[in-house]
Amino acid sequence: MSHFSNDGEPRPKALVCDDDPMIRRLVREVAERCGYDILAGVDNAVDALSLVMEHRPEVLVLDLALPGMGGEEVIAALHDQPGTTVIVHSAHDPRFAVKAGARTFVSKGNVALLEKTLLKVRGAEISA
């Protein structure tokens, strides 16, 4: 995958965190289609938090129900760290994520909304 867009600009980076490998693969495909380079796909919050702190991807697509540390804790830890937009991608109630500071949500299974949200975060044109 190219690290540059068609206009020569660097492609934004995305990180995917979900404990389900099929969901990670689906989100990776959608994000790549939206013009992102995938930094990594991880299955736990500790790895996701570490990678975000080290690499500062433009987007973190984050499940809430994860083994060990939950997604809400990642959101809270990143609250004062600008630069990475967290997209909560979960089938679970987002109320605790909102209390932790989450602002962008996509229900699992809603591929069209995930794609639209990724494009919006990237600042790309969205065609109807």
Side-chain angles (χ1 to χ4, degrees):
M1 186 59 58
S2 170
H3 295 290
F4 295 93
S5 65
N6 291 340
D7 60 4
E9 292 294 317
R11 290 166 53 103
K13 293 182 300 260
L15 175 65
V16 179
C17 181
D18 196 297
D19 59 342
D20 183 330
M22 290 180 63
I23 296 295
R24 281 196 311 272
R25 186 171 41 248
L26 172 69
V27 172
R28 173 185 289 265
E29 290 171 4
V30 172
E32 286 175 341
R33 191 169 58 235
C34 291
Y36 289 86
D37 276 338
I38 304 302
L39 175 63
V42 297
D43 63 0
N44 66 83
V46 173
D47 288 347
L49 186 56
S50 175
L51 286 166
V52 168
M53 299 300 272
E54 183 177 344
H55 296 281
R56 300 283 184 212
E58 283 77 5
V59 171
L60 166 61
V61 181
L62 178 68
D63 189 13
L64 295 176
L66 296 164
M69 181 190 309
E72 295 90 350
E73 293 173 272
V74 173
I75 294 163
L78 295 175
H79 185 63
D80 294 327
Q81 302 293 325
T84 299
T85 298
V86 178
I87 299 173
V88 173
H89 184 245
S90 184
H92 295 276
D93 186 337
R95 281 183 283 187
F96 293 112
V98 170
K99 288 180 182 178
R103 298 290 174 257
T104 307
F105 309 93
V106 175
S107 294
K108 276 193 182 176
N110 193 338
V111 175
L113 182 56
L114 178 60
E115 186 170 343
K116 181 178 179 180
T117 303
L118 284 163
L119 288 169
K120 181 178 178 184
V121 168
R122 189 174 151 234
E125 292 296 316
I126 302 171
S127 58

